[in-house]
Amino acid sequence: MIISFSIENFGSIKSKQTVSFEADKSTHLEDAYLYHAPNGLRLLKLILIYGANASGKTTVLNAIEFLRDLVLDPAEKKTDELKFNPFLFDNKSPKQDSKISIDFLQNEVKYSYEVEFSSKAVVNEKLLFFNPNKAIVFKRTTDTKKQFSKITFGSKIKVEKNFKNVLEANTLWNNTVFGGYLKTNIEQIELKEVTDWFDKYLHPIVTPKTSLHNFVGKKVDNSEVKEEELVKIIKKADFNISGIKISEEEGMPDDVEKFFKALNYPDEQIEKMKKNPPKKIEFQHTVDGSQYFLPIELESEGTKRYFEFSGLLALLIRNSIAVPIDELESSLHPELYIHFILSFLMNSNKSQIIATTHNRELLDNKDIFRNDAIWFTNKTEHCSTEIYSLADFDTTVIRDTTNIYNAYKSGKLKATPNLSDYYID
């Protein structure tokens, strides 16, 4: 599980900003919101990020995904540049290195990982673990002139000299140590635990444009999700759907193949698509005792979205995963949005969601949110992003009797658009 993460000089974030899943001392809604780790940590299962457009909400999620890609998808060539932008609204930041750090639990062991990088190289890395005392797993430095990486393992970590040499040879100056490790054929328990966490626990970002139809369909094929689970979830959302039928499309039609070739898609990519055809998804509707099957393409955007989210919800309940979601409320009615959140909180155990949102209705009901689960992004006068939690406000701003919805709407908590009048010259 994610404990906390920090971002510095990445996108709209200039100075170090930290988001934490560690709960405060409040016992409000504790049974629904918290996971109690064996080491005493009390971790939130949900964080919602509010803020004006262009305030940096999505940047937070992009930083998490960038780190995941940096670990799991190492560059193949030393000349490949890392795809990100540092803070661009001053003269110094574009020339300085960026940093991302993350603390997390993997198999109930706490790990702390920090990476410093530029567009050309991973400059420094450090991995610690706490089992139960703090110990260094490795430190990595890069000679940017020679484009060479040096890796030093901690005294409590046992590795053969040959492994260290092979790992250094495979860790290009623009790769993380984990990227180098994924290119070796030698096992090392701590490196394996961390790469497994990034691969199996931390999922890619889900945006409003992300189509999860095939993703959910393949999870059904692999028996990771059952069709009856999806139906059960959708029925609770009152969609008048009595069943779901998922099947394989019959190959790629000739006209579609010609279309991709006209767009100069590589032949190997077209062949890959032909071997993995899209799923055919139909919803069964029972009307006046008769059954009708409607292709997913003919369903409303809200139904399509909730079908995808029902697959996510089934995975979040059945497994232990973390899913970043951008604009969680996209295509969902406010009541359905809250229904999804509460279904996740009441049925999951060690899964986590971190989501951006503009849905303010949730803030009007203290019976369904905790202060430490609500976060804000605000644009400073220097155009940089600051990140803070509702729990950070003291009683001079927020009291137990304060209506959070009204406080946020009025601008008392900042993180709202700074609008002018309605008249346009």
Side-chain angles (χ1 to χ4, degrees), residues 209-351:
K209 294 182 180 179
T210 304
S211 176
L212 297 174
H213 296 175
N214 270 2
F215 171 79
V216 175
K218 287 177 181 178
K219 293 298 180 184
V220 172
D221 277 353
N222 298 334
S223 299
E224 293 181 57
V225 174
K226 296 179 180 178
E227 285 188 25
E228 55 264 33
E229 290 177 329
L230 301 181
V231 175
K232 190 180 294 184
I233 292 170
I234 290 178
K235 274 186 174 181
K236 285 186 176 293
D238 192 25
F239 272 104
N240 188 33
I241 291 172
S242 52
I244 298 173
K245 186 164 67 175
I246 300 174
S247 56
E248 293 279 1
E249 290 280 10
E250 296 180 1
M252 180 183 288
D254 291 339
D255 56 338
V256 175
E257 185 175 347
K258 289 179 182 178
F259 173 76
F260 282 121
K261 285 184 175 180
L263 293 176
N264 294 319
Y265 270 62
D267 289 340
E268 59 270 19
Q269 191 171 346
I270 295 175
E271 287 302 315
K272 186 177 180 180
M273 288 189 290
K274 288 168 71 174
K275 291 178 181 178
N276 295 281
K279 297 293 180 184
K280 183 179 181 180
I281 301 169
E282 297 174 288
F283 291 102
Q284 176 184 300
H285 295 262
T286 303
V287 182
D288 296 330
S290 299
Q291 295 178 348
Y292 303 89
F293 283 92
L294 198 63
I296 191 170
E297 293 79 14
L298 299 181
E299 297 284 358
S300 71
E301 292 303 314
T303 302
K304 293 176 189 176
R305 184 71 165 173
Y306 207 77
F307 164 74
E308 296 176 337
F309 273 29
S310 68
L312 279 183
L313 186 55
L315 288 171
L316 286 159
I317 294 170
R318 183 186 278 258
N319 305 319
S320 297
I321 59 174
V323 182
I325 304 177
D326 195 22
E327 296 187 18
L328 177 58
E329 74 281 2
S330 177
S331 297
L332 297 181
H333 186 279
E335 293 292 338
L336 191 54
Y337 166 91
I338 292 174
H339 180 84
F340 173 81
I341 288 175
L342 295 181
S343 297
F344 163 68
L345 290 172
M346 298 306 296
N347 295 281
S348 64
N349 182 26
K350 295 171 65 176
S351 289

Side-chain angles (χ1 to χ4, degrees), residues 48 115 125 129 145 164 232 236 307 366:
L48 296 175
V115 59
E125 278 181 279
F129 78 124
K145 291 183 179 179
K164 181 177 179 297
K232 190 180 294 184
K236 285 186 176 293
F307 164 74
K366 285 190 176 182

